[in-house]
Amino acid sequence: MYDEVLTKIQGVRDLRIQGRYADAASELEGSINSMGLDDRLTVELSETLFNQGFFRRVIEVLDKHLTLTGSDDNPNYAAGQMIRFLADFFMTGHFRESMILAESLYNCFISGLQSEVVDDATIRIDIYYCKFRHLAAACGSFDDSQQEGQLLFRLRKAFYVLIERSDFFNASMVARTHSSCCSGPEKTSLIEYLVDNKQIQPIQRAHAQLSLAKSIKSSERRDEQDRLYTSALELFVAGNHLHGGLDTKISMACRLPFSPEDGNFEERLTRYFREYETLNYPTGLESALLQLLETTHNLGDFKMEALILNDLEKLFRTSGSELNWLMARFSSLARQSLRGGDRGKTIQGGEALWNALRRTDCVFHRGRTAQLVSQAYYAIQDQDMTLFWHQRALEDMPLIEPIINSSITMGSNLASIEDFEKHYEKIAALLNSKETDHLSKHTAERIEGLLSQMLARVNRDGRVLAIIDNAIKLYEGHLCCVKDPSFANMQTASISGLQATALIMRASSRQDIDDEMLAIKHSKKARDLYLKEKQLGNAIMALQREALINVGIAQKFEQIKDDQVSLAWHNALRQYSVALDSANGLGLTFLARENAYWVAFCEYRRWIHGWCSSESLLQSLLEAEGYVDRQRQEVSILRGINAAVAKARLSSDVKTRNIYLFAIRVCTGVGNVVTAWSWVQKSKARSLSDLLGLGVLIPLELEERISRDKDCQMLFEDERRIMEKLAVTSDTDRFKVVIELEEHQKEMRGQAVLSELLDLREGVPIAIDELSAGERKAQHKKATIFVDWVATESGLSIYVVNESGNPIIRQLPISIGMIEGWVSEYLNGERGAKHITPGERTLSGMQEEDEPDEGPLRNLDVLISPLAELSGPDDLLVLCPTGPIHAVPLHALRLGPPEDRQILIERNPVVYCASLTSFIQCCRLADSIFAANVRKCLMAVYEEDFGPEDYDGKNFSEYERSQIYDSTKQIAADLHGEALCGESVTMRRLKEALERADLVHFFGHYDYTPELVVEQSLRISGEQQIAGEPQSASMAVKDVFNIRVKSSHVSLLACASATQHFRAGDEPLGLITALLAAGATSVLGTLWPVQSSAARLFSVHFYHALLRSAPKEHGMYDLAYAVREAVLEVKQCWEFRQPYYWAPFSLGLIAFDKKRPGHKVDVVHSSPDPSVVVGLTLSTSPSTLSSTLTEPFHIIVSARILSTPHPDKPITLQTHPSPLEGLDNRSFHNIICTANPDKKIEIFPRGWPQYHWDPEDLRSVWSFVTIPPRGKGTYTAHLEVPCHRIEATHVQKGERYRVNMTNKCLGTRWWSFASLAELDGVRLRSWRSQEDENDPETREEMDREQKERYGVGPATMGEGRIC
């Protein structure tokens, strides 16, 4: 029996040598069944499956067949356990518990044996224990060099014993293990021995040649690599190896740079992977995909990289290798971060990866992932998130150094001498440790981090610079201890860069350029070494450093008026241009963006001296701006307020601002006013226009053009499906869907009409011809005048576009600094003004004497003085301020000749906007909205528990409360709207009003905290306690970003509700921004706290004027007219004559609100033969269950039309009660385990939910969805199963579960042949009884009640067309 087992094992190994793993596994399984249990056969089978890549099967085999009998002295049992530990590590990412058991087994079976004992069992114990510890050390971030050194020594010793025995099978396994675990100069020594040994089998030599060829990274050894590949391929083919030739071809195909004879890369790879599909060899396919992943990264092919990751995920899910999948994602993320590419994708992918790594023991990769995310946030200048993720990195990697050159994590720039001395001592301690004879990469990286930290904190103190010099020299003197020549070159280059940086620091305090010239020498040395080691990104950064040094030289020469200043700027420009071209060629977008700015900067400085044409400079500025736009698009992957803040931060960046200011100055300097105006539009509030673009409704004319082209229509529909998938995708998979969407939109760009649509979505700044007031002229009796204020180096200017269509520029005799001082003294200094008595609680800048020429506001009248000439009375003025002017009530200023000075709002209706682009976007959105039955909701909250003081400093007044609530109810009655007051106003009701009503009015309190913008909130009464738990009683700015606002107009009569936080670039953030980004088209608010009685009076006059402003023929509400009338009415009251009372009311964005004209109620009855069959299909996401799900589990219900009398029409149906609604209406049975029906995930509700609804207005409660026409697509609902119910079921591996629908809720209670878009503005109502329909009096009474309650407009009972 003993000899029979050995014979069987030898035969199986012959199959494995040929690459026939599946045949070998089959032979072993048959032998175990026929010969009985034998641990040698079990170990051989588990090892075969392990090498094949089936880790789950390895565990199953060992669990089933590995015997415990005699385990104390059975080395085969220990060998099997070592394989199990490693396989389990690959499957789960956990190793800590297994490490204890593995150490115990190893000490028992290896340490106690004679050193000369070398057999199958001990070899496998050594091999798999070495692999296990090496992988654990790499993932667990602990130093295992001593233990690893001993293990590698044993492997080398065993290798030569095996060679003497001619046991080349085991010798090859030992050599490959040694190569994969060794990082020193002996890494490939055993492989090289096999290559040179003529006694081993040809196929085994071919394996060694392939391994050695793949280890060669230097292009200087390309010929040697070619010989090894060619020889290996010939040996594999000659020996009929199943996949060796294919493995070699893949490795040859993925080499860079490509050889001319390599042929078409994609065609060859496609052919090779088709061959792999026929092999049952996941390990080989994994190796091929990982090699291809590295190649595509080096090529900068992000689309291909995403596709490969998708294939790898499928492969790893099949093999059960969770660890390999996580490592592949980490590798891709690290390469993407190194490339400096899309920071938004790095953040999205990194956060999802970090959450996945939390379930493992891979603290190193978890910490490094957090560090990469932190660096990505740092790149987009988000300090809070940078620190948050840096802290997470420190939790897993306590020795991690702060982000290089980050003032955020480095601390103060002025550290004490003692701090620098401590850093020097740390470096000295690391260099004087036990590693003095061998400087490890880990130690070198730590030293480099400490030096970088010292340079980031450097000041002009000579003692500090001396300490840094000594530290660099100390490190440089130990580089001889680095054994790896390539790593030594990299460290030498790094030190040269650090020396150059230190010299730059020192040079700033000197008049000569000696230090700069020496710094250039060091930087060039670093660049040459980086190029030698093919570290092209680092080489570009070294060249960029040289260019920066030349910029410093040029600026010194400018100060001393040296004749060489032209040459210095020329050198800097040339070096930045080369760096830009190189970064573009390598796909290093972050470096390209930096160098594009500096090219433009150098061109600008040369233009000032007259050495560069304006055309050349503008071209450079356009290229630099293109990179800014690309970065802005990158952070679009972030959601809600995160995207808003990230985009605003990018637009506020100094370099971004400089691009726009340089361009405006150049254009005005050469008299190109139109181009200057265009750059002004690019410079303002780009984050807001981006956010508004994301929610843009497609203009009808554009939609018709899309529908006329079948290709465009198909691309448009495909995009919609991808976006729907993105909306319900978890963060883990969102990264892949975003890439899919981006690639699809690139294809859409090829169609002119779809490119136009994408420009709308991306908030591309408007052109001058888009300001045509054609439609708006018809809505307003006079012209529309667009006004911009712009601050540049040359001063403050006003840009006016009137009916002529050409911008006109006027220089203003006031500076931004003067305005900032005015705002600080007269507005901000006394905001809140708690030290002022209630009677004096007026902002001092908003006080006027009875004589119009007196008062602080008169100092600012020059801001609007050109409008007296450039506009006429009653023209609509669209005002777009800049900087501190946003805080100024421009409509309260006066203009005109001294003898006839008028307050601006008396002369003209006024609208404010952050940018003209956002104004036009909101106009387009408003033009696309039609609402026949305008729903209005008016809310007022004035309660005693809001605080001891009223908005005007008075104590709470019952009388004032009754006045406010009565006034709100009366306005609601006049508007035929709904009134909610006091405790009736809750968070839920306010959210519902914003989501469903067309007009929302809120009278209450706004908690304004300038330093916490996103926390500012509308204070709401009620909901403080629900079910015994405290609930939010306010709606914050950050909450509004997560609401889909239907209300086209929102009035906020609350303290300082219109106050926005403006960053540089006029980037707004506040409640108005949140509402506009969420879907509103106009917002009325207040610039400072207002007196409640004044706000109450304003409200009455505003809504009465609004009703008067809507001519019946086109149903337009003139919001600007209504605000103007209300302000003037308030101003007429003697007690409110001061601007403090009437000037805070500010209308943001559009001046008109478009509604479909009202007409008599038109009830639509059923069609003659309504009959539609809808088919439902079920699926789940993800497809597998687990008791420890880290992402939501959804039941996916897809609905499509199977038969219909109108194939070209969609249908809209009420989701209640149907499987499209949710899990709480008894549409689904519990999710049953097929093997054990008693085991189930409970989703079937125990009772029927109670509903209350209005049968005359079904939309007030129920949800409706549209199913596309037959053959044109499906509607998909994603129903989330609560995680706690899955966890309570204790799902086990191998169990299968079944999801079934019930027959209780199939069908619907309301449907119609129409889409939701077609039904917009139409009231959906239930069917009346036939008796009521036939009784004229009853019907007339019901119609009258509907008209009083719902207003005029069409209504439908469904199952028919809309009239």
Side-chain angles (χ1 to χ4, degrees), residues 181-199:
C181 296
C182 181
S183 58
E186 296 181 324
K187 179 178 179 65
T188 60
S189 59
L190 304 188
I191 295 291
E192 291 171 358
Y193 186 93
L194 291 176
V195 170
D196 296 334
N197 193 311
K198 305 301 182 183
Q199 299 179 2

Side-chain angles (χ1 to χ4, degrees), residues 246-258:
L246 188 57
D247 296 340
T248 307
K249 291 176 184 178
I250 286 286
S251 297
M252 295 173 71
C254 291
R255 288 185 303 174
L256 289 176
F258 295 135

Side-chain angles (χ1 to χ4, degrees), residues 1230-1242 1289 1297:
N1230 289 324
I1231 303 175
I1232 303 297
C1233 176
T1234 56
N1236 179 11
D1238 292 333
K1239 189 174 184 179
K1240 56 185 176 290
I1241 301 171
E1242 294 190 359
T1289 309
Y1297 286 78

